[in-house]
Amino acid sequence: DPPDTWTERRDLSAIALKLMENLPEQQRRVMTLKDVDDRSMDDIAALTGLEPRNIRVILSRARKTVRQELEKMLAIRKNTLQS
């Protein structure tokens, strides 16, 4: 990948981490454990006391929220650059 792609990915990752701060506590914790700390579902279940199926739902909702917020930010950025 070209250096520009690496920089863009790093920037998006940093923004996504910042957006995660706005999630409800449980969503933030589960998403951090899975996507940042790369923990297994079994580890997350043991740490949180949640069932794996609940973890999957919470993780899905958290990722969806972060993705939607990131898309909003990118759309605003694109509109700003076009103005």
Side-chain angles (χ1 to χ4, degrees):
D1 291 337
D4 292 357
T5 304
W6 282 88
T7 301
E8 188 173 312
R9 285 183 188 161
R10 188 180 64 231
D11 291 348
L12 290 175
S13 293
I15 293 167
L17 287 172
K18 191 71 174 163
L19 291 171
M20 285 171 58
E21 294 175 7
N22 297 323
L23 293 171
E25 173 62 32
Q26 190 176 57
Q27 288 183 12
R28 182 175 56 249
R29 184 165 188 220
V30 168
M31 191 171 182
T32 299
L33 289 169
K34 184 66 178 160
D35 294 344
V36 178
D37 299 341
D38 199 28
R39 303 296 287 261
S40 71
M41 288 294 196
D42 290 338
D43 285 349
I44 297 170
L47 290 166
T48 63
L50 297 167
E51 295 291 326
R53 67 179 173 272
N54 292 5
I55 293 168
R56 282 189 288 277
V57 170
I58 292 165
L59 187 57
S60 175
R61 289 178 182 162
R63 287 174 175 164
K64 180 180 179 182
T65 300
V66 170
R67 184 173 47 253
Q68 288 173 336
E69 292 302 313
L70 189 56
E71 287 170 355
K72 284 181 198 174
M73 290 180 70
L74 292 174
I76 291 168
R77 181 176 167 193
K78 182 180 176 184
N79 289 337
T80 303
L81 292 174
Q82 290 177 348
S83 298

